[in-house]
Amino acid sequence: MSTLIHDGALAAGIGTLLYMATIAVTAVAAVFAPAPQRRRDARAVLTILLRRRDVEEPQR
């Protein structure tokens, strides 16, 4: 059972690192791409990857 928990945590950590790397590479492309269209496209990808949902405050 602890092996499953360990493997799941490891998979989640690897997934998180890959997601962070994707965002970092896209952010660099959004800033340093030579063509304006590529910068706009990279910014659009960042908007999709970093989409935030409105969080409602809990009602009391």
Side-chain angles (χ1 to χ4, degrees):
M1 180 69 168
S2 73
T3 304
L4 289 175
I5 293 172
H6 177 266
D7 291 345
L10 183 62
I14 291 171
T16 300
L17 288 175
L18 287 173
Y19 181 71
M20 289 173 32
T22 301
I23 290 174
V25 168
T26 306
V28 168
V31 173
F32 295 113
Q37 182 60 42
R38 287 192 182 182
R39 288 194 297 271
R40 279 191 294 274
D41 291 344
R43 286 188 192 106
V45 169
L46 279 174
T47 301
I48 293 168
L49 290 175
L50 299 176
R51 184 175 301 163
R52 294 180 182 221
R53 297 183 187 130
D54 291 334
V55 179
E56 295 181 20
E57 293 187 24
Q59 299 199 5
R60 297 180 184 178

